[in-house]
Amino acid sequence: MGIGVSSWQLARRVAQRGEIGVVSGTGIDSVVVRELQDGDPHDRRRVLQTYPDTETADHLVDTYYRPDGLPAGASYDLLSMHRFQPTEASQRILAAATYTEVRLAKDGHDGVVGLNLLAKLKRYTLPCLYGALLAGVDLVSIGAGIPLEEARQMQALATGEPGELRLDVDASQAPDDAEETFTYRFDPRVVVDDPPVMEPPAFFPIVSSDVLARIMDAKLPEEAVDGWVVERPVAGGHNAPPRNKQYDDNGDPIYDERDEADLEAVADLGKPFYLAGGFGSPDGLAHARRVGADGIQVGSLFSLAEESGYPDDVTRDLVRGIHAGEITVKTDGRVSSTGFPFKVLSVDGSLADDEVYDDRPRVCDLGYLREPYLNSQGQVLGRCPAEPVRTYTSRGGDPQDTEGRACLCNALLANIGLAQQRGETEEPTLFTGGEALEDLPLGSIEDPTYDVDDVLQYLYGESDERAGGRRDPTRPGEDDPSREDRPADAGAADAGATDARAVNARADEGGAETGGAETGEAADRERPDRERPVRESPVDDPATR
């Protein structure tokens, strides 16, 4: 959940076990350039050698690779901030970085690998999608917003055509003659001179209600959506705002029965769907099957598995703290600059600690969650309510919007061992996870480790019945007589994230991401008759397959 927790290692192992492994696309460009500066521990240089945009691949290695890593106490070199009207170089780096993550996740097996993105981060979506397409991604899930345009543009990119997404720009400061419509545009020819025609990946929007699913189903062509991930507000990472618009005195959301989706209405749309948010247990899987879902999305359990993007010592400390009752989960209505509620783990020494939060100087040098606005000259610029208050208000922001905001961008990178050094101190962490973590069924204080295999065995029960393979959710037309006995997916959860989750895993999908597992399939519902084969990358490189 967040940045890099639903890592290629986690997604790869999940996919090898016959589930859907989902990687997080949030902040992936920063992850790649920081890993290169740390000596390239995962050999991304090998994968970059297969990337068709050789100029960008060489630039990344020549500019950021440090064979011996950074000296102790040194700060990471940063990428130029990706603008709302971006440079081609910035778009090319985003596509290349996403390509490496998906290719590493697909290495050495023929399982299903997906990508999770946040609709809120529109200016990153199209280059990331294209890099993933070149890497042969099988499935895409997008949450933290309403990804109507994204569904259409994915089809365009797959055919080599330019794509564009409309930007919601605050024009309150704009001159009278300023433009009224703004879009983010990406042309695949920025990356390759002659874009190949590729099979579009399966698309599973992450929705919080049947209403949103029905709206998307009505507005999009049949082939644009392959199924749904229906997420409850107990999930980790970002959550949908409460439909009653009620918040307590601390600004935290108050959810009620109106935030529960009508699953019969979702099933009536006639496409596969998966349940997310509090279903990561054998009972959750059984419930999903009873209500006609194809399976469950599991994120939080996978976020603490050995294969996740957290460093080993971080995972052990989190598992021990949860089992000792020292770490709880809170839905914080203020901490995320997106305006969406965000699940926060109460970890001492992190930004969840009031003293740590107060001591951190405000700085915004990554900018993933910046919002677009028009200045008095009619230029599209960005601002973030987690940046210095004076800076935010000088850009036309409301000072009340800054209250309680934290820099998720820097904190989520710190979570995975890529913290920026600022003088004598490092950027602090801020961990996320679903409410189910408070009753963590795996690991213990004495033995605070478990892996993907342990998670899947727990979800399926002692008899691991998945052997022999299960129906591939990216092939909705296949006949599978043994479908009731098997789970669904595991993959990433939003960014920002983020995110760790599965597609069914999504993080920082909401938004955060992390590995996850979908489990179980509905028995008697019609499926679209279109087949979705497991995709190979159009880039010919047997060494990375």
Side-chain angles (χ1 to χ4, degrees), residues 155 199-202 222-226 474-477 527-532:
Q155 307 289 320
E199 175 74 16
E222 173 67 22
E223 68 273 11
V225 173
D226 294 84
T474 68
R475 300 173 184 165
R527 303 286 185 231
D529 57 10
R530 181 169 57 115
E531 288 200 0
R532 289 280 197 180

PDB file of all heavy atoms in Angstrom, residues 155 199-202 222-226 474-477 527-532:
ATOM      1  N   GLN A 155      -7.499   2.108 -24.476  1.00  0.00           N
ATOM      2  CA  GLN A 155      -7.735   1.501 -25.786  1.00  0.00           C
ATOM      3  C   GLN A 155      -6.952   2.253 -26.869  1.00  0.00           C
ATOM      4  O   GLN A 155      -6.363   1.641 -27.771  1.00  0.00           O
ATOM      5  CB  GLN A 155      -9.237   1.550 -26.115  1.00  0.00           C
ATOM      6  CG  GLN A 155     -10.154   0.956 -25.049  1.00  0.00           C
ATOM      7  CD  GLN A 155     -10.069  -0.549 -24.965  1.00  0.00           C
ATOM      8  OE1 GLN A 155      -9.988  -1.228 -25.974  1.00  0.00           O
ATOM      9  NE2 GLN A 155     -10.077  -1.073 -23.751  1.00  0.00           N
ATOM     10  N   GLU A 199      -2.606  -5.733 -27.669  1.00  0.00           N
ATOM     11  CA  GLU A 199      -3.862  -6.145 -27.040  1.00  0.00           C
ATOM     12  C   GLU A 199      -4.059  -5.321 -25.767  1.00  0.00           C
ATOM     13  O   GLU A 199      -3.192  -5.281 -24.901  1.00  0.00           O
ATOM     14  CB  GLU A 199      -3.803  -7.626 -26.681  1.00  0.00           C
ATOM     15  CG  GLU A 199      -5.000  -8.144 -25.910  1.00  0.00           C
ATOM     16  CD  GLU A 199      -6.245  -8.297 -26.775  1.00  0.00           C
ATOM     17  OE1 GLU A 199      -6.114  -8.296 -28.012  1.00  0.00           O
ATOM     18  OE2 GLU A 199      -7.337  -8.417 -26.202  1.00  0.00           O
ATOM     19  N   PRO A 200      -5.191  -4.617 -25.623  1.00  0.00           N
ATOM     20  CA  PRO A 200      -5.414  -3.862 -24.387  1.00  0.00           C
ATOM     21  C   PRO A 200      -5.480  -4.812 -23.187  1.00  0.00           C
ATOM     22  O   PRO A 200      -6.015  -5.917 -23.293  1.00  0.00           O
ATOM     23  CB  PRO A 200      -6.759  -3.173 -24.614  1.00  0.00           C
ATOM     24  CG  PRO A 200      -7.023  -3.264 -26.074  1.00  0.00           C
ATOM     25  CD  PRO A 200      -6.313  -4.482 -26.562  1.00  0.00           C
ATOM     26  N   PRO A 201      -4.965  -4.395 -22.055  1.00  0.00           N
ATOM     27  CA  PRO A 201      -5.103  -5.231 -20.861  1.00  0.00           C
ATOM     28  C   PRO A 201      -6.537  -5.234 -20.349  1.00  0.00           C
ATOM     29  O   PRO A 201      -7.333  -4.346 -20.688  1.00  0.00           O
ATOM     30  CB  PRO A 201      -4.165  -4.546 -19.856  1.00  0.00           C
ATOM     31  CG  PRO A 201      -4.130  -3.124 -20.289  1.00  0.00           C
ATOM     32  CD  PRO A 201      -4.249  -3.146 -21.786  1.00  0.00           C
ATOM     33  N   ALA A 202      -6.881  -6.217 -19.561  1.00  0.00           N
ATOM     34  CA  ALA A 202      -8.179  -6.201 -18.879  1.00  0.00           C
ATOM     35  C   ALA A 202      -8.216  -5.003 -17.941  1.00  0.00           C
ATOM     36  O   ALA A 202      -7.204  -4.619 -17.354  1.00  0.00           O
ATOM     37  CB  ALA A 202      -8.371  -7.500 -18.102  1.00  0.00           C
ATOM     38  N   GLU A 222     -18.961  -1.624 -24.091  1.00  0.00           N
ATOM     39  CA  GLU A 222     -18.910  -2.914 -23.410  1.00  0.00           C
ATOM     40  C   GLU A 222     -17.486  -3.409 -23.211  1.00  0.00           C
ATOM     41  O   GLU A 222     -17.127  -3.938 -22.159  1.00  0.00           O
ATOM     42  CB  GLU A 222     -19.717  -3.946 -24.208  1.00  0.00           C
ATOM     43  CG  GLU A 222     -19.621  -5.379 -23.692  1.00  0.00           C
ATOM     44  CD  GLU A 222     -20.272  -5.576 -22.333  1.00  0.00           C
ATOM     45  OE1 GLU A 222     -21.134  -4.761 -21.969  1.00  0.00           O
ATOM     46  OE2 GLU A 222     -19.911  -6.537 -21.644  1.00  0.00           O
ATOM     47  N   GLU A 223     -16.642  -3.215 -24.222  1.00  0.00           N
ATOM     48  CA  GLU A 223     -15.299  -3.790 -24.158  1.00  0.00           C
ATOM     49  C   GLU A 223     -14.342  -2.999 -23.278  1.00  0.00           C
ATOM     50  O   GLU A 223     -13.218  -3.442 -23.017  1.00  0.00           O
ATOM     51  CB  GLU A 223     -14.702  -3.896 -25.561  1.00  0.00           C
ATOM     52  CG  GLU A 223     -14.389  -2.561 -26.238  1.00  0.00           C
ATOM     53  CD  GLU A 223     -15.577  -1.986 -26.982  1.00  0.00           C
ATOM     54  OE1 GLU A 223     -16.698  -2.507 -26.808  1.00  0.00           O
ATOM     55  OE2 GLU A 223     -15.377  -1.022 -27.749  1.00  0.00           O
ATOM     56  N   ALA A 224     -14.751  -1.833 -22.777  1.00  0.00           N
ATOM     57  CA  ALA A 224     -13.830  -0.982 -22.024  1.00  0.00           C
ATOM     58  C   ALA A 224     -13.592  -1.475 -20.610  1.00  0.00           C
ATOM     59  O   ALA A 224     -12.542  -1.207 -20.021  1.00  0.00           O
ATOM     60  CB  ALA A 224     -14.347   0.462 -21.995  1.00  0.00           C
ATOM     61  N   VAL A 225     -14.575  -2.161 -20.003  1.00  0.00           N
ATOM     62  CA  VAL A 225     -14.463  -2.626 -18.622  1.00  0.00           C
ATOM     63  C   VAL A 225     -14.665  -4.133 -18.581  1.00  0.00           C
ATOM     64  O   VAL A 225     -15.627  -4.650 -19.147  1.00  0.00           O
ATOM     65  CB  VAL A 225     -15.499  -1.927 -17.710  1.00  0.00           C
ATOM     66  CG1 VAL A 225     -15.484  -2.534 -16.309  1.00  0.00           C
ATOM     67  CG2 VAL A 225     -15.221  -0.425 -17.639  1.00  0.00           C
ATOM     68  N   ASP A 226     -13.772  -4.819 -17.903  1.00  0.00           N
ATOM     69  CA  ASP A 226     -13.845  -6.280 -17.813  1.00  0.00           C
ATOM     70  C   ASP A 226     -14.439  -6.760 -16.497  1.00  0.00           C
ATOM     71  O   ASP A 226     -14.820  -7.923 -16.378  1.00  0.00           O
ATOM     72  CB  ASP A 226     -12.455  -6.876 -17.993  1.00  0.00           C
ATOM     73  CG  ASP A 226     -11.912  -6.643 -19.394  1.00  0.00           C
ATOM     74  OD1 ASP A 226     -11.348  -5.569 -19.631  1.00  0.00           O
ATOM     75  OD2 ASP A 226     -12.094  -7.515 -20.256  1.00  0.00           O
ATOM     76  N   THR A 474      -8.628 -12.586 -16.512  1.00  0.00           N
ATOM     77  CA  THR A 474      -8.453 -11.794 -17.729  1.00  0.00           C
ATOM     78  C   THR A 474      -8.979 -12.529 -18.940  1.00  0.00           C
ATOM     79  O   THR A 474      -8.910 -12.031 -20.049  1.00  0.00           O
ATOM     80  CB  THR A 474      -6.967 -11.458 -17.951  1.00  0.00           C
ATOM     81  OG1 THR A 474      -6.233 -12.651 -18.258  1.00  0.00           O
ATOM     82  CG2 THR A 474      -6.376 -10.778 -16.734  1.00  0.00           C
ATOM     83  N   ARG A 475      -9.518 -13.747 -18.751  1.00  0.00           N
ATOM     84  CA  ARG A 475     -10.173 -14.486 -19.824  1.00  0.00           C
ATOM     85  C   ARG A 475     -11.597 -14.773 -19.401  1.00  0.00           C
ATOM     86  O   ARG A 475     -11.941 -15.890 -19.061  1.00  0.00           O
ATOM     87  CB  ARG A 475      -9.443 -15.809 -20.089  1.00  0.00           C
ATOM     88  CG  ARG A 475      -7.985 -15.654 -20.494  1.00  0.00           C
ATOM     89  CD  ARG A 475      -7.357 -17.032 -20.554  1.00  0.00           C
ATOM     90  NE  ARG A 475      -5.949 -16.944 -20.844  1.00  0.00           N
ATOM     91  CZ  ARG A 475      -5.103 -17.949 -20.668  1.00  0.00           C
ATOM     92  NH1 ARG A 475      -5.546 -19.091 -20.198  1.00  0.00           N
ATOM     93  NH2 ARG A 475      -3.834 -17.814 -20.964  1.00  0.00           N
ATOM     94  N   PRO A 476     -12.476 -13.787 -19.376  1.00  0.00           N
ATOM     95  CA  PRO A 476     -13.793 -13.975 -18.776  1.00  0.00           C
ATOM     96  C   PRO A 476     -14.683 -14.960 -19.483  1.00  0.00           C
ATOM     97  O   PRO A 476     -15.695 -15.354 -18.956  1.00  0.00           O
ATOM     98  CB  PRO A 476     -14.399 -12.567 -18.791  1.00  0.00           C
ATOM     99  CG  PRO A 476     -13.560 -11.769 -19.711  1.00  0.00           C
ATOM    100  CD  PRO A 476     -12.234 -12.435 -19.831  1.00  0.00           C
ATOM    101  N   GLY A 477     -14.331 -15.418 -20.683  1.00  0.00           N
ATOM    102  CA  GLY A 477     -15.202 -16.336 -21.387  1.00  0.00           C
ATOM    103  C   GLY A 477     -14.866 -17.801 -21.186  1.00  0.00           C
ATOM    104  O   GLY A 477     -15.546 -18.667 -21.703  1.00  0.00           O
ATOM    105  N   ARG A 527     -20.686 -14.428 -18.554  1.00  0.00           N
ATOM    106  CA  ARG A 527     -19.478 -13.648 -18.726  1.00  0.00           C
ATOM    107  C   ARG A 527     -19.456 -13.070 -20.127  1.00  0.00           C
ATOM    108  O   ARG A 527     -20.001 -13.658 -21.052  1.00  0.00           O
ATOM    109  CB  ARG A 527     -18.234 -14.536 -18.576  1.00  0.00           C
ATOM    110  CG  ARG A 527     -18.191 -15.251 -17.252  1.00  0.00           C
ATOM    111  CD  ARG A 527     -17.833 -14.255 -16.159  1.00  0.00           C
ATOM    112  NE  ARG A 527     -17.666 -14.949 -14.910  1.00  0.00           N
ATOM    113  CZ  ARG A 527     -18.275 -14.578 -13.793  1.00  0.00           C
ATOM    114  NH1 ARG A 527     -19.071 -13.552 -13.794  1.00  0.00           N
ATOM    115  NH2 ARG A 527     -18.066 -15.232 -12.691  1.00  0.00           N
ATOM    116  N   PRO A 528     -18.799 -11.947 -20.288  1.00  0.00           N
ATOM    117  CA  PRO A 528     -18.584 -11.478 -21.648  1.00  0.00           C
ATOM    118  C   PRO A 528     -17.835 -12.549 -22.423  1.00  0.00           C
ATOM    119  O   PRO A 528     -17.012 -13.267 -21.866  1.00  0.00           O
ATOM    120  CB  PRO A 528     -17.713 -10.229 -21.457  1.00  0.00           C
ATOM    121  CG  PRO A 528     -17.927  -9.810 -20.029  1.00  0.00           C
ATOM    122  CD  PRO A 528     -18.218 -11.073 -19.279  1.00  0.00           C
ATOM    123  N   ASP A 529     -18.119 -12.688 -23.726  1.00  0.00           N
ATOM    124  CA  ASP A 529     -17.508 -13.766 -24.486  1.00  0.00           C
ATOM    125  C   ASP A 529     -16.162 -13.381 -25.081  1.00  0.00           C
ATOM    126  O   ASP A 529     -15.546 -14.149 -25.804  1.00  0.00           O
ATOM    127  CB  ASP A 529     -18.445 -14.239 -25.603  1.00  0.00           C
ATOM    128  CG  ASP A 529     -18.836 -13.099 -26.542  1.00  0.00           C
ATOM    129  OD1 ASP A 529     -18.240 -11.999 -26.433  1.00  0.00           O
ATOM    130  OD2 ASP A 529     -19.733 -13.327 -27.379  1.00  0.00           O
ATOM    131  N   ARG A 530     -15.657 -12.194 -24.751  1.00  0.00           N
ATOM    132  CA  ARG A 530     -14.364 -11.778 -25.264  1.00  0.00           C
ATOM    133  C   ARG A 530     -13.251 -12.427 -24.462  1.00  0.00           C
ATOM    134  O   ARG A 530     -13.275 -12.434 -23.244  1.00  0.00           O
ATOM    135  CB  ARG A 530     -14.251 -10.250 -25.142  1.00  0.00           C
ATOM    136  CG  ARG A 530     -12.981  -9.679 -25.662  1.00  0.00           C
ATOM    137  CD  ARG A 530     -13.130  -8.179 -25.718  1.00  0.00           C
ATOM    138  NE  ARG A 530     -13.476  -7.657 -24.419  1.00  0.00           N
ATOM    139  CZ  ARG A 530     -12.698  -6.858 -23.712  1.00  0.00           C
ATOM    140  NH1 ARG A 530     -11.544  -6.500 -24.177  1.00  0.00           N
ATOM    141  NH2 ARG A 530     -13.081  -6.415 -22.546  1.00  0.00           N
ATOM    142  N   GLU A 531     -12.269 -12.973 -25.113  1.00  0.00           N
ATOM    143  CA  GLU A 531     -11.147 -13.602 -24.416  1.00  0.00           C
ATOM    144  C   GLU A 531     -10.035 -12.603 -24.195  1.00  0.00           C
ATOM    145  O   GLU A 531      -9.782 -11.732 -24.999  1.00  0.00           O
ATOM    146  CB  GLU A 531     -10.616 -14.797 -25.205  1.00  0.00           C
ATOM    147  CG  GLU A 531     -11.560 -15.976 -25.170  1.00  0.00           C
ATOM    148  CD  GLU A 531     -10.850 -17.256 -25.520  1.00  0.00           C
ATOM    149  OE1 GLU A 531      -9.635 -17.201 -25.779  1.00  0.00           O
ATOM    150  OE2 GLU A 531     -11.506 -18.299 -25.527  1.00  0.00           O
ATOM    151  N   ARG A 532      -9.363 -12.753 -23.051  1.00  0.00           N
ATOM    152  CA  ARG A 532      -8.235 -11.905 -22.721  1.00  0.00           C
ATOM    153  C   ARG A 532      -7.025 -12.806 -22.502  1.00  0.00           C
ATOM    154  O   ARG A 532      -6.797 -13.295 -21.404  1.00  0.00           O
ATOM    155  CB  ARG A 532      -8.496 -11.127 -21.432  1.00  0.00           C
ATOM    156  CG  ARG A 532      -9.525 -10.038 -21.577  1.00  0.00           C
ATOM    157  CD  ARG A 532      -8.923  -8.816 -22.208  1.00  0.00           C
ATOM    158  NE  ARG A 532      -9.777  -7.660 -21.996  1.00  0.00           N
ATOM    159  CZ  ARG A 532      -9.486  -6.463 -22.439  1.00  0.00           C
ATOM    160  NH1 ARG A 532      -8.380  -6.273 -23.121  1.00  0.00           N
ATOM    161  NH2 ARG A 532     -10.295  -5.455 -22.223  1.00  0.00           N
TER     162      ARG A 532
END
